[in-house]
Amino acid sequence: MKSSKAPFFYVLLGSLQALLMMGVTLGSVSGSTAAEQSTSPKPNIVVILADDLGIVDVNGYARRFTGANVEQMYYETPHIDRMMSESLSFSQAYACHLCSPARASLLTGKYAARVGFTTAVGGNVKTFYNQGITPPAGYVAQDAIEWVDQIEIPQALINGTTLDALPAGQPADEGRNELTIAEALEGYDCGFIGKWHVGGHGSAGWQPGDQGFSELSYFDEGGSPYFNWRKLWNKRKLDFPKMPQAEMRKGVTGPDFGQEYLTDELTEHAVSFLKRHADRDENRQEASHKPFFLYLCHFAVHTPFQAPEKDVEYYQHKPTRGWNGQSNEVYAGMIAHLDRSVGKILETLQASGLDDNTLVVLTSDNGGVMYTDPLATCNLPFKGGKGTHFEGGIRVPMVMRWKGTIEGGRWCDVPVDCC
């Protein structure tokens, strides 16, 4: 049985709480009456989760926290900045220090440690499940047996016990079955695109389709190549021969939209999903006319650092290279494609007529990476980065846009978290 307690979707709850704390109701923001709100259709929801995007990687946030002008900065995020001008931006949004815990928390509305995720592990992690071992008392099959983190800087947790898959009601979950936001959104069409990383690295029974989503295009791993990724995503040979399943369920590529670069391809999958729903709304097909929840989890800007050559060349010669310690031209190109993705999602919503009734959330799973060589980014004026509990590791950008409902161009200083 699923838990009777529905999860809180932290970004939505946090924003509504913030509005109320500021003395502003949704009715007064949108100008609608209570009666009008009660008869209005359920809103669509689009969540864009970036991976390792630092809080000052976005120009609008960098401007707020450094006081610099955009022209002085190295990265370029014009589309996200435009979204911020139409949104409520949170100055104190906090996430876990690593990706899997943050994703488990966001999906369930629970603290990650309560769910069982305390760190993020790679595909080479040994679990009782993938080693075909009956777990000892007090453990479950998807608990990690061992994990040696190669990050050499001081971290919040090293070699701790952690789950490798979000409980989904499988026999190996020993009676645990976490209720996800997709399962809680009754009557919604919930689509998942991108990075999963809470499914036991290809364990059958713990993938997005087992947690309330339609699997549009995804990969159950911490990182992915940005070029030539399709063969890896469709791999079916078991990584561990003693896994109690016939083949890997690490991912599916879905339809091929012809994009060479992963961030662009995932964006096209999202655009296709949105257009499909716009067509259904226009045709008023009763059987398929329902609100949607699109969860787009980009791999950008996680390692490996890869970007199209033309973007790398542009940033390699940009005069502002080195501003605020940011000088990685490949990373800058990756941010540019993430930014264009956000722009294309917003353009599609506007062109398709979905804009007025769609809440769009953009955030990151943790802070920017500061342990790579060459350095990925710099989170100044905040200390530290991903893998630490300093502000640079857990303070993230978070932007919420809902045309006609949330007044744009404003900042909220009320803390919200997904920890």
PDB file of all heavy atoms in Angstrom, residues 52 94-103 112-113 117-120 149 151 154-158 365-369 371 385-390 392-396 418-419:
ATOM      1  N   ASP A  52      23.611  20.274 -11.225  1.00  0.00           N
ATOM      2  CA  ASP A  52      24.837  20.956 -10.806  1.00  0.00           C
ATOM      3  C   ASP A  52      24.895  22.421 -11.217  1.00  0.00           C
ATOM      4  O   ASP A  52      25.976  23.014 -11.261  1.00  0.00           O
ATOM      5  CB  ASP A  52      26.091  20.249 -11.367  1.00  0.00           C
ATOM      6  CG  ASP A  52      26.292  18.849 -10.826  1.00  0.00           C
ATOM      7  OD1 ASP A  52      25.538  18.450  -9.913  1.00  0.00           O
ATOM      8  OD2 ASP A  52      27.204  18.151 -11.309  1.00  0.00           O
ATOM      9  N   TYR A  94      17.035  26.050  -1.095  1.00  0.00           N
ATOM     10  CA  TYR A  94      18.075  25.104  -0.700  1.00  0.00           C
ATOM     11  C   TYR A  94      17.739  23.702  -1.185  1.00  0.00           C
ATOM     12  O   TYR A  94      16.573  23.292  -1.209  1.00  0.00           O
ATOM     13  CB  TYR A  94      18.258  25.101   0.813  1.00  0.00           C
ATOM     14  CG  TYR A  94      18.869  26.387   1.323  1.00  0.00           C
ATOM     15  CD1 TYR A  94      18.060  27.446   1.725  1.00  0.00           C
ATOM     16  CD2 TYR A  94      20.247  26.546   1.376  1.00  0.00           C
ATOM     17  CE1 TYR A  94      18.611  28.638   2.183  1.00  0.00           C
ATOM     18  CE2 TYR A  94      20.813  27.733   1.821  1.00  0.00           C
ATOM     19  CZ  TYR A  94      19.996  28.771   2.224  1.00  0.00           C
ATOM     20  OH  TYR A  94      20.553  29.946   2.654  1.00  0.00           O
ATOM     21  N   ALA A  95      18.774  22.962  -1.563  1.00  0.00           N
ATOM     22  CA  ALA A  95      18.631  21.579  -2.002  1.00  0.00           C
ATOM     23  C   ALA A  95      19.656  20.724  -1.269  1.00  0.00           C
ATOM     24  O   ALA A  95      20.470  21.230  -0.491  1.00  0.00           O
ATOM     25  CB  ALA A  95      18.834  21.474  -3.519  1.00  0.00           C
ATOM     26  N   CYS A  96      19.613  19.432  -1.502  1.00  0.00           N
ATOM     27  CA  CYS A  96      20.626  18.548  -0.935  1.00  0.00           C
ATOM     28  C   CYS A  96      21.980  18.855  -1.566  1.00  0.00           C
ATOM     29  O   CYS A  96      22.070  19.517  -2.598  1.00  0.00           O
ATOM     30  CB  CYS A  96      20.260  17.091  -1.167  1.00  0.00           C
ATOM     31  SG  CYS A  96      18.797  16.552  -0.263  1.00  0.00           S
ATOM     32  N   HIS A  97      23.030  18.335  -0.969  1.00  0.00           N
ATOM     33  CA  HIS A  97      24.378  18.617  -1.448  1.00  0.00           C
ATOM     34  C   HIS A  97      24.759  17.755  -2.642  1.00  0.00           C
ATOM     35  O   HIS A  97      25.771  18.021  -3.294  1.00  0.00           O
ATOM     36  CB  HIS A  97      25.384  18.390  -0.324  1.00  0.00           C
ATOM     37  CG  HIS A  97      25.376  16.988   0.215  1.00  0.00           C
ATOM     38  ND1 HIS A  97      24.307  16.468   0.893  1.00  0.00           N
ATOM     39  CD2 HIS A  97      26.307  16.005   0.158  1.00  0.00           C
ATOM     40  CE1 HIS A  97      24.574  15.217   1.235  1.00  0.00           C
ATOM     41  NE2 HIS A  97      25.776  14.915   0.805  1.00  0.00           N
ATOM     42  N   LEU A  98      23.960  16.721  -2.952  1.00  0.00           N
ATOM     43  CA  LEU A  98      24.225  15.823  -4.075  1.00  0.00           C
ATOM     44  C   LEU A  98      22.913  15.470  -4.775  1.00  0.00           C
ATOM     45  O   LEU A  98      21.827  15.651  -4.217  1.00  0.00           O
ATOM     46  CB  LEU A  98      24.936  14.550  -3.602  1.00  0.00           C
ATOM     47  CG  LEU A  98      26.383  14.717  -3.124  1.00  0.00           C
ATOM     48  CD1 LEU A  98      26.860  13.468  -2.404  1.00  0.00           C
ATOM     49  CD2 LEU A  98      27.307  15.057  -4.295  1.00  0.00           C
ATOM     50  N   CYS A  99      23.034  14.904  -5.984  1.00  0.00           N
ATOM     51  CA  CYS A  99      21.877  14.802  -6.867  1.00  0.00           C
ATOM     52  C   CYS A  99      20.827  13.772  -6.473  1.00  0.00           C
ATOM     53  O   CYS A  99      19.644  14.084  -6.430  1.00  0.00           O
ATOM     54  CB  CYS A  99      22.325  14.570  -8.307  1.00  0.00           C
ATOM     55  SG  CYS A  99      23.584  13.321  -8.508  1.00  0.00           S
ATOM     56  N   SER A 100      21.198  12.521  -6.194  1.00  0.00           N
ATOM     57  CA  SER A 100      20.185  11.509  -5.892  1.00  0.00           C
ATOM     58  C   SER A 100      19.347  11.865  -4.667  1.00  0.00           C
ATOM     59  O   SER A 100      18.119  11.738  -4.703  1.00  0.00           O
ATOM     60  CB  SER A 100      20.841  10.141  -5.698  1.00  0.00           C
ATOM     61  OG  SER A 100      21.351   9.649  -6.911  1.00  0.00           O
ATOM     62  N   PRO A 101      19.954  12.310  -3.556  1.00  0.00           N
ATOM     63  CA  PRO A 101      19.123  12.713  -2.422  1.00  0.00           C
ATOM     64  C   PRO A 101      18.140  13.826  -2.767  1.00  0.00           C
ATOM     65  O   PRO A 101      16.977  13.785  -2.353  1.00  0.00           O
ATOM     66  CB  PRO A 101      20.155  13.169  -1.382  1.00  0.00           C
ATOM     67  CG  PRO A 101      21.398  12.425  -1.723  1.00  0.00           C
ATOM     68  CD  PRO A 101      21.398  12.348  -3.221  1.00  0.00           C
ATOM     69  N   ALA A 102      18.599  14.823  -3.519  1.00  0.00           N
ATOM     70  CA  ALA A 102      17.711  15.925  -3.890  1.00  0.00           C
ATOM     71  C   ALA A 102      16.545  15.422  -4.727  1.00  0.00           C
ATOM     72  O   ALA A 102      15.398  15.845  -4.546  1.00  0.00           O
ATOM     73  CB  ALA A 102      18.492  16.996  -4.652  1.00  0.00           C
ATOM     74  N   ARG A 103      16.809  14.509  -5.640  1.00  0.00           N
ATOM     75  CA  ARG A 103      15.758  13.978  -6.507  1.00  0.00           C
ATOM     76  C   ARG A 103      14.766  13.126  -5.721  1.00  0.00           C
ATOM     77  O   ARG A 103      13.544  13.190  -5.956  1.00  0.00           O
ATOM     78  CB  ARG A 103      16.388  13.180  -7.645  1.00  0.00           C
ATOM     79  CG  ARG A 103      17.155  14.060  -8.607  1.00  0.00           C
ATOM     80  CD  ARG A 103      18.182  13.311  -9.468  1.00  0.00           C
ATOM     81  NE  ARG A 103      19.119  14.268 -10.015  1.00  0.00           N
ATOM     82  CZ  ARG A 103      18.901  14.981 -11.121  1.00  0.00           C
ATOM     83  NH1 ARG A 103      17.797  14.787 -11.810  1.00  0.00           N
ATOM     84  NH2 ARG A 103      19.784  15.861 -11.538  1.00  0.00           N
ATOM     85  N   ALA A 112      15.441  13.629   2.380  1.00  0.00           N
ATOM     86  CA  ALA A 112      16.105  12.542   1.676  1.00  0.00           C
ATOM     87  C   ALA A 112      16.570  11.437   2.613  1.00  0.00           C
ATOM     88  O   ALA A 112      16.466  10.246   2.299  1.00  0.00           O
ATOM     89  CB  ALA A 112      17.285  13.087   0.878  1.00  0.00           C
ATOM     90  N   ALA A 113      17.095  11.822   3.776  1.00  0.00           N
ATOM     91  CA  ALA A 113      17.575  10.821   4.720  1.00  0.00           C
ATOM     92  C   ALA A 113      16.434   9.962   5.247  1.00  0.00           C
ATOM     93  O   ALA A 113      16.613   8.768   5.516  1.00  0.00           O
ATOM     94  CB  ALA A 113      18.293  11.490   5.880  1.00  0.00           C
ATOM     95  N   PHE A 117      18.073   8.015   1.146  1.00  0.00           N
ATOM     96  CA  PHE A 117      19.153   8.486   0.282  1.00  0.00           C
ATOM     97  C   PHE A 117      20.028   9.455   1.071  1.00  0.00           C
ATOM     98  O   PHE A 117      19.570  10.517   1.492  1.00  0.00           O
ATOM     99  CB  PHE A 117      18.594   9.187  -0.959  1.00  0.00           C
ATOM    100  CG  PHE A 117      18.169   8.253  -2.043  1.00  0.00           C
ATOM    101  CD1 PHE A 117      16.887   7.709  -2.053  1.00  0.00           C
ATOM    102  CD2 PHE A 117      19.038   7.907  -3.065  1.00  0.00           C
ATOM    103  CE1 PHE A 117      16.491   6.850  -3.050  1.00  0.00           C
ATOM    104  CE2 PHE A 117      18.653   7.040  -4.070  1.00  0.00           C
ATOM    105  CZ  PHE A 117      17.377   6.505  -4.063  1.00  0.00           C
ATOM    106  N   THR A 118      21.279   9.093   1.252  1.00  0.00           N
ATOM    107  CA  THR A 118      22.199   9.961   1.982  1.00  0.00           C
ATOM    108  C   THR A 118      23.349  10.458   1.113  1.00  0.00           C
ATOM    109  O   THR A 118      24.052  11.383   1.491  1.00  0.00           O
ATOM    110  CB  THR A 118      22.787   9.220   3.192  1.00  0.00           C
ATOM    111  OG1 THR A 118      23.456   8.037   2.735  1.00  0.00           O
ATOM    112  CG2 THR A 118      21.689   8.843   4.173  1.00  0.00           C
ATOM    113  N   THR A 119      23.543   9.843  -0.037  1.00  0.00           N
ATOM    114  CA  THR A 119      24.592  10.281  -0.951  1.00  0.00           C
ATOM    115  C   THR A 119      24.211   9.833  -2.362  1.00  0.00           C
ATOM    116  O   THR A 119      23.168   9.213  -2.564  1.00  0.00           O
ATOM    117  CB  THR A 119      25.964   9.704  -0.531  1.00  0.00           C
ATOM    118  OG1 THR A 119      26.980  10.302  -1.337  1.00  0.00           O
ATOM    119  CG2 THR A 119      26.010   8.201  -0.682  1.00  0.00           C
ATOM    120  N   ALA A 120      25.021  10.179  -3.324  1.00  0.00           N
ATOM    121  CA  ALA A 120      24.786   9.785  -4.716  1.00  0.00           C
ATOM    122  C   ALA A 120      25.886   8.832  -5.142  1.00  0.00           C
ATOM    123  O   ALA A 120      27.060   9.079  -4.878  1.00  0.00           O
ATOM    124  CB  ALA A 120      24.777  11.014  -5.622  1.00  0.00           C
ATOM    125  N   ASP A 149      33.906   7.120  -2.593  1.00  0.00           N
ATOM    126  CA  ASP A 149      33.792   8.360  -3.343  1.00  0.00           C
ATOM    127  C   ASP A 149      35.176   8.882  -3.698  1.00  0.00           C
ATOM    128  O   ASP A 149      36.047   8.988  -2.840  1.00  0.00           O
ATOM    129  CB  ASP A 149      33.038   9.385  -2.500  1.00  0.00           C
ATOM    130  CG  ASP A 149      32.391  10.460  -3.344  1.00  0.00           C
ATOM    131  OD1 ASP A 149      32.950  10.773  -4.402  1.00  0.00           O
ATOM    132  OD2 ASP A 149      31.344  10.974  -2.941  1.00  0.00           O
ATOM    133  N   ILE A 151      35.874  11.889  -4.795  1.00  0.00           N
ATOM    134  CA  ILE A 151      36.011  13.333  -4.600  1.00  0.00           C
ATOM    135  C   ILE A 151      36.956  13.579  -3.427  1.00  0.00           C
ATOM    136  O   ILE A 151      36.746  13.047  -2.338  1.00  0.00           O
ATOM    137  CB  ILE A 151      34.645  13.984  -4.332  1.00  0.00           C
ATOM    138  CG1 ILE A 151      33.704  13.723  -5.523  1.00  0.00           C
ATOM    139  CG2 ILE A 151      34.793  15.484  -4.098  1.00  0.00           C
ATOM    140  CD1 ILE A 151      32.272  14.157  -5.264  1.00  0.00           C
ATOM    141  N   PRO A 154      36.905  18.011   1.277  1.00  0.00           N
ATOM    142  CA  PRO A 154      36.053  17.662   2.426  1.00  0.00           C
ATOM    143  C   PRO A 154      34.589  17.631   2.007  1.00  0.00           C
ATOM    144  O   PRO A 154      34.115  18.513   1.287  1.00  0.00           O
ATOM    145  CB  PRO A 154      36.327  18.800   3.420  1.00  0.00           C
ATOM    146  CG  PRO A 154      37.668  19.313   3.038  1.00  0.00           C
ATOM    147  CD  PRO A 154      37.761  19.175   1.546  1.00  0.00           C
ATOM    148  N   GLN A 155      33.887  16.592   2.443  1.00  0.00           N
ATOM    149  CA  GLN A 155      32.498  16.421   2.039  1.00  0.00           C
ATOM    150  C   GLN A 155      31.599  16.222   3.246  1.00  0.00           C
ATOM    151  O   GLN A 155      32.052  15.921   4.349  1.00  0.00           O
ATOM    152  CB  GLN A 155      32.373  15.205   1.121  1.00  0.00           C
ATOM    153  CG  GLN A 155      33.163  15.327  -0.174  1.00  0.00           C
ATOM    154  CD  GLN A 155      33.250  13.982  -0.846  1.00  0.00           C
ATOM    155  OE1 GLN A 155      32.308  13.553  -1.459  1.00  0.00           O
ATOM    156  NE2 GLN A 155      34.377  13.327  -0.691  1.00  0.00           N
ATOM    157  N   ALA A 156      30.295  16.328   2.966  1.00  0.00           N
ATOM    158  CA  ALA A 156      29.330  16.155   4.048  1.00  0.00           C
ATOM    159  C   ALA A 156      29.246  14.703   4.484  1.00  0.00           C
ATOM    160  O   ALA A 156      28.964  14.413   5.639  1.00  0.00           O
ATOM    161  CB  ALA A 156      27.956  16.639   3.588  1.00  0.00           C
ATOM    162  N   LEU A 157      29.445  13.780   3.582  1.00  0.00           N
ATOM    163  CA  LEU A 157      29.314  12.369   3.917  1.00  0.00           C
ATOM    164  C   LEU A 157      30.203  11.556   2.996  1.00  0.00           C
ATOM    165  O   LEU A 157      30.225  11.767   1.790  1.00  0.00           O
ATOM    166  CB  LEU A 157      27.860  11.915   3.754  1.00  0.00           C
ATOM    167  CG  LEU A 157      27.556  10.458   4.084  1.00  0.00           C
ATOM    168  CD1 LEU A 157      27.755  10.218   5.581  1.00  0.00           C
ATOM    169  CD2 LEU A 157      26.133  10.103   3.697  1.00  0.00           C
ATOM    170  N   ILE A 158      30.963  10.636   3.551  1.00  0.00           N
ATOM    171  CA  ILE A 158      31.813   9.761   2.761  1.00  0.00           C
ATOM    172  C   ILE A 158      31.527   8.310   3.138  1.00  0.00           C
ATOM    173  O   ILE A 158      31.525   7.951   4.318  1.00  0.00           O
ATOM    174  CB  ILE A 158      33.300  10.073   2.990  1.00  0.00           C
ATOM    175  CG1 ILE A 158      33.621  11.512   2.564  1.00  0.00           C
ATOM    176  CG2 ILE A 158      34.187   9.099   2.219  1.00  0.00           C
ATOM    177  CD1 ILE A 158      35.070  11.904   2.769  1.00  0.00           C
ATOM    178  N   ASP A 365      19.530  20.695  -8.712  1.00  0.00           N
ATOM    179  CA  ASP A 365      19.531  19.661  -7.671  1.00  0.00           C
ATOM    180  C   ASP A 365      20.561  19.911  -6.586  1.00  0.00           C
ATOM    181  O   ASP A 365      20.467  19.360  -5.486  1.00  0.00           O
ATOM    182  CB  ASP A 365      19.734  18.275  -8.286  1.00  0.00           C
ATOM    183  CG  ASP A 365      21.036  18.144  -9.068  1.00  0.00           C
ATOM    184  OD1 ASP A 365      21.731  19.160  -9.268  1.00  0.00           O
ATOM    185  OD2 ASP A 365      21.357  17.016  -9.479  1.00  0.00           O
ATOM    186  N   ASN A 366      21.562  20.720  -6.850  1.00  0.00           N
ATOM    187  CA  ASN A 366      22.584  21.089  -5.853  1.00  0.00           C
ATOM    188  C   ASN A 366      23.414  22.233  -6.424  1.00  0.00           C
ATOM    189  O   ASN A 366      23.157  22.691  -7.545  1.00  0.00           O
ATOM    190  CB  ASN A 366      23.477  19.893  -5.472  1.00  0.00           C
ATOM    191  CG  ASN A 366      24.026  19.125  -6.652  1.00  0.00           C
ATOM    192  OD1 ASN A 366      23.673  17.963  -6.857  1.00  0.00           O
ATOM    193  ND2 ASN A 366      24.877  19.745  -7.432  1.00  0.00           N
ATOM    194  N   GLY A 367      24.385  22.674  -5.660  1.00  0.00           N
ATOM    195  CA  GLY A 367      25.206  23.792  -6.096  1.00  0.00           C
ATOM    196  C   GLY A 367      26.203  23.426  -7.174  1.00  0.00           C
ATOM    197  O   GLY A 367      26.347  22.259  -7.558  1.00  0.00           O
ATOM    198  N   GLY A 368      26.908  24.431  -7.664  1.00  0.00           N
ATOM    199  CA  GLY A 368      27.874  24.242  -8.736  1.00  0.00           C
ATOM    200  C   GLY A 368      29.107  23.466  -8.293  1.00  0.00           C
ATOM    201  O   GLY A 368      29.521  23.525  -7.134  1.00  0.00           O
ATOM    202  N   VAL A 369      29.700  22.748  -9.235  1.00  0.00           N
ATOM    203  CA  VAL A 369      30.852  21.888  -8.946  1.00  0.00           C
ATOM    204  C   VAL A 369      32.133  22.713  -8.857  1.00  0.00           C
ATOM    205  O   VAL A 369      32.438  23.506  -9.746  1.00  0.00           O
ATOM    206  CB  VAL A 369      31.008  20.823 -10.046  1.00  0.00           C
ATOM    207  CG1 VAL A 369      32.289  20.029  -9.851  1.00  0.00           C
ATOM    208  CG2 VAL A 369      29.807  19.888 -10.051  1.00  0.00           C
ATOM    209  N   TYR A 371      35.185  20.951  -7.671  1.00  0.00           N
ATOM    210  CA  TYR A 371      36.255  19.993  -7.383  1.00  0.00           C
ATOM    211  C   TYR A 371      36.874  19.390  -8.639  1.00  0.00           C
ATOM    212  O   TYR A 371      37.686  18.478  -8.551  1.00  0.00           O
ATOM    213  CB  TYR A 371      35.750  18.871  -6.463  1.00  0.00           C
ATOM    214  CG  TYR A 371      34.511  18.138  -6.942  1.00  0.00           C
ATOM    215  CD1 TYR A 371      34.569  17.218  -7.981  1.00  0.00           C
ATOM    216  CD2 TYR A 371      33.284  18.351  -6.333  1.00  0.00           C
ATOM    217  CE1 TYR A 371      33.448  16.548  -8.417  1.00  0.00           C
ATOM    218  CE2 TYR A 371      32.147  17.676  -6.757  1.00  0.00           C
ATOM    219  CZ  TYR A 371      32.234  16.771  -7.788  1.00  0.00           C
ATOM    220  OH  TYR A 371      31.108  16.110  -8.205  1.00  0.00           O
ATOM    221  N   GLY A 385      30.984  24.230  -2.785  1.00  0.00           N
ATOM    222  CA  GLY A 385      30.215  23.806  -3.940  1.00  0.00           C
ATOM    223  C   GLY A 385      29.617  22.434  -3.711  1.00  0.00           C
ATOM    224  O   GLY A 385      29.549  21.944  -2.580  1.00  0.00           O
ATOM    225  N   LYS A 386      29.187  21.809  -4.775  1.00  0.00           N
ATOM    226  CA  LYS A 386      28.550  20.496  -4.725  1.00  0.00           C
ATOM    227  C   LYS A 386      29.338  19.540  -3.820  1.00  0.00           C
ATOM    228  O   LYS A 386      30.553  19.497  -3.848  1.00  0.00           O
ATOM    229  CB  LYS A 386      28.468  19.910  -6.130  1.00  0.00           C
ATOM    230  CG  LYS A 386      27.924  18.489  -6.191  1.00  0.00           C
ATOM    231  CD  LYS A 386      27.924  17.950  -7.599  1.00  0.00           C
ATOM    232  CE  LYS A 386      27.432  16.510  -7.639  1.00  0.00           C
ATOM    233  NZ  LYS A 386      27.381  15.964  -9.016  1.00  0.00           N
ATOM    234  N   GLY A 387      28.608  18.767  -3.020  1.00  0.00           N
ATOM    235  CA  GLY A 387      29.241  17.805  -2.136  1.00  0.00           C
ATOM    236  C   GLY A 387      29.551  18.355  -0.757  1.00  0.00           C
ATOM    237  O   GLY A 387      29.977  17.627   0.119  1.00  0.00           O
ATOM    238  N   THR A 388      29.318  19.659  -0.551  1.00  0.00           N
ATOM    239  CA  THR A 388      29.541  20.270   0.753  1.00  0.00           C
ATOM    240  C   THR A 388      28.235  20.870   1.263  1.00  0.00           C
ATOM    241  O   THR A 388      27.282  21.057   0.508  1.00  0.00           O
ATOM    242  CB  THR A 388      30.590  21.397   0.683  1.00  0.00           C
ATOM    243  OG1 THR A 388      30.007  22.563   0.069  1.00  0.00           O
ATOM    244  CG2 THR A 388      31.807  20.962  -0.121  1.00  0.00           C
ATOM    245  N   HIS A 389      28.207  21.177   2.552  1.00  0.00           N
ATOM    246  CA  HIS A 389      27.044  21.833   3.135  1.00  0.00           C
ATOM    247  C   HIS A 389      27.257  23.336   3.305  1.00  0.00           C
ATOM    248  O   HIS A 389      26.494  23.995   4.009  1.00  0.00           O
ATOM    249  CB  HIS A 389      26.682  21.182   4.474  1.00  0.00           C
ATOM    250  CG  HIS A 389      25.883  19.929   4.299  1.00  0.00           C
ATOM    251  ND1 HIS A 389      25.651  19.050   5.325  1.00  0.00           N
ATOM    252  CD2 HIS A 389      25.278  19.393   3.213  1.00  0.00           C
ATOM    253  CE1 HIS A 389      24.920  18.042   4.890  1.00  0.00           C
ATOM    254  NE2 HIS A 389      24.687  18.224   3.607  1.00  0.00           N
ATOM    255  N   PHE A 390      28.277  23.875   2.661  1.00  0.00           N
ATOM    256  CA  PHE A 390      28.409  25.324   2.589  1.00  0.00           C
ATOM    257  C   PHE A 390      27.349  25.855   1.621  1.00  0.00           C
ATOM    258  O   PHE A 390      26.779  25.111   0.820  1.00  0.00           O
ATOM    259  CB  PHE A 390      29.810  25.706   2.123  1.00  0.00           C
ATOM    260  CG  PHE A 390      30.900  25.311   3.082  1.00  0.00           C
ATOM    261  CD1 PHE A 390      31.901  24.435   2.690  1.00  0.00           C
ATOM    262  CD2 PHE A 390      30.932  25.818   4.377  1.00  0.00           C
ATOM    263  CE1 PHE A 390      32.916  24.063   3.567  1.00  0.00           C
ATOM    264  CE2 PHE A 390      31.938  25.461   5.267  1.00  0.00           C
ATOM    265  CZ  PHE A 390      32.935  24.578   4.867  1.00  0.00           C
ATOM    266  N   GLY A 392      27.494  27.430  -1.115  1.00  0.00           N
ATOM    267  CA  GLY A 392      27.732  27.155  -2.526  1.00  0.00           C
ATOM    268  C   GLY A 392      27.338  25.755  -2.942  1.00  0.00           C
ATOM    269  O   GLY A 392      27.158  25.488  -4.130  1.00  0.00           O
ATOM    270  N   GLY A 393      27.210  24.859  -1.974  1.00  0.00           N
ATOM    271  CA  GLY A 393      26.841  23.485  -2.290  1.00  0.00           C
ATOM    272  C   GLY A 393      25.363  23.195  -2.213  1.00  0.00           C
ATOM    273  O   GLY A 393      24.884  22.235  -2.823  1.00  0.00           O
ATOM    274  N   ILE A 394      24.623  24.013  -1.471  1.00  0.00           N
ATOM    275  CA  ILE A 394      23.209  23.698  -1.240  1.00  0.00           C
ATOM    276  C   ILE A 394      22.248  24.826  -1.598  1.00  0.00           C
ATOM    277  O   ILE A 394      21.036  24.607  -1.631  1.00  0.00           O
ATOM    278  CB  ILE A 394      22.976  23.302   0.231  1.00  0.00           C
ATOM    279  CG1 ILE A 394      23.399  24.423   1.171  1.00  0.00           C
ATOM    280  CG2 ILE A 394      23.712  22.001   0.558  1.00  0.00           C
ATOM    281  CD1 ILE A 394      23.094  24.145   2.649  1.00  0.00           C
ATOM    282  N   ARG A 395      22.752  26.010  -1.869  1.00  0.00           N
ATOM    283  CA  ARG A 395      21.885  27.137  -2.238  1.00  0.00           C
ATOM    284  C   ARG A 395      21.795  27.198  -3.758  1.00  0.00           C
ATOM    285  O   ARG A 395      22.818  27.275  -4.442  1.00  0.00           O
ATOM    286  CB  ARG A 395      22.447  28.441  -1.676  1.00  0.00           C
ATOM    287  CG  ARG A 395      21.477  29.607  -1.691  1.00  0.00           C
ATOM    288  CD  ARG A 395      21.993  30.693  -0.775  1.00  0.00           C
ATOM    289  NE  ARG A 395      21.169  31.887  -0.773  1.00  0.00           N
ATOM    290  CZ  ARG A 395      21.364  32.920   0.046  1.00  0.00           C
ATOM    291  NH1 ARG A 395      22.362  32.896   0.924  1.00  0.00           N
ATOM    292  NH2 ARG A 395      20.570  33.977  -0.004  1.00  0.00           N
ATOM    293  N   VAL A 396      20.587  27.142  -4.277  1.00  0.00           N
ATOM    294  CA  VAL A 396      20.401  26.958  -5.717  1.00  0.00           C
ATOM    295  C   VAL A 396      19.429  27.992  -6.283  1.00  0.00           C
ATOM    296  O   VAL A 396      18.610  28.559  -5.546  1.00  0.00           O
ATOM    297  CB  VAL A 396      19.867  25.535  -6.015  1.00  0.00           C
ATOM    298  CG1 VAL A 396      20.885  24.474  -5.611  1.00  0.00           C
ATOM    299  CG2 VAL A 396      18.525  25.279  -5.328  1.00  0.00           C
ATOM    300  N   CYS A 418      14.538  21.604  -0.304  1.00  0.00           N
ATOM    301  CA  CYS A 418      14.332  20.228  -0.760  1.00  0.00           C
ATOM    302  C   CYS A 418      15.564  19.465  -0.299  1.00  0.00           C
ATOM    303  O   CYS A 418      16.542  19.382  -1.023  1.00  0.00           O
ATOM    304  CB  CYS A 418      14.179  20.192  -2.277  1.00  0.00           C
ATOM    305  SG  CYS A 418      14.067  18.536  -2.952  1.00  0.00           S
ATOM    306  N   CYS A 419      15.537  18.958   0.912  1.00  0.00           N
ATOM    307  CA  CYS A 419      16.736  18.420   1.531  1.00  0.00           C
ATOM    308  C   CYS A 419      16.577  16.955   1.936  1.00  0.00           C
ATOM    309  O   CYS A 419      15.482  16.495   2.126  1.00  0.00           O
ATOM    310  CB  CYS A 419      17.112  19.230   2.761  1.00  0.00           C
ATOM    311  SG  CYS A 419      17.540  20.946   2.377  1.00  0.00           S
TER     312      CYS A 419
END
